[in-house]
Amino acid sequence: MDVQKIRAIFESEIVKTQKKVKQYEELAQPIAPDNAIGRVSRMDAINNKGVMDAALRKAKERLEGLKRNLGKLGTDEFGVCPKCKQEIAIERILLAPQSSFCVNCAR
């Protein structure tokens, strides 16, 4: 697979992930204590905020990984596991473009 196709995949994934980050940031807004939504509803809102915070954190980690690996594209570091120094299969790169590690080292 050529570098331009891989670059396009990374850029597309970055755009999608940036949209998710923005969406999660909006959904993870703090619950105002003076918001009169009822005790049970407030507990649900607090629980949902926790879920959104976790989703936001994962989306930001994915975005960082995508940008990091896009920056390596075209260098000797791209597609090489930093832990075991083995080549990462192109299928793995396309399936998990945010990951820097091969399947074995990612476990």
Side-chain angles (χ1 to χ4, degrees):
M1 180 170 272
D2 73 3
V3 173
Q4 295 298 23
K5 286 183 182 178
I6 295 171
R7 181 176 304 282
I9 291 168
F10 271 89
E11 289 172 350
S12 171
E13 288 297 317
I14 287 171
V15 169
K16 283 194 262 184
T17 306
Q18 286 173 329
K19 287 179 183 176
K20 282 185 180 182
V21 166
K22 186 175 176 108
Q23 182 182 30
Y24 291 146
E25 284 174 340
E26 291 172 9
L27 293 171
Q29 294 295 316
I31 304 349
D34 61 339
N35 193 348
I37 57 176
R39 194 173 131 252
V40 173
S41 295
R42 176 174 294 293
M43 293 305 294
D44 284 342
I46 291 169
N47 183 47
N48 289 341
K49 182 185 178 335
V51 171
M52 287 301 122
D53 286 342
L56 176 60
R57 193 171 39 257
K58 286 197 93 52
K60 284 182 175 181
E61 289 171 5
R62 177 177 171 78
L63 185 58
E64 288 174 18
L66 287 165
K67 287 180 177 181
R68 179 182 55 248
N69 288 338
L70 178 60
K72 291 179 183 179
L73 190 63
T75 70
D76 292 340
E77 289 181 48
F78 184 77
V80 177
C81 178
K83 192 171 183 180
C84 69
K85 307 297 184 209
Q86 297 295 312
E87 187 173 326
I88 301 170
I90 189 67
E91 293 84 6
R92 164 79 173 160
I93 293 170
L94 297 177
L95 187 63
Q98 74 281 0
S99 179
S100 296
F101 298 98
C102 68
V103 173
N104 290 330
C105 293
R107 292 183 194 172

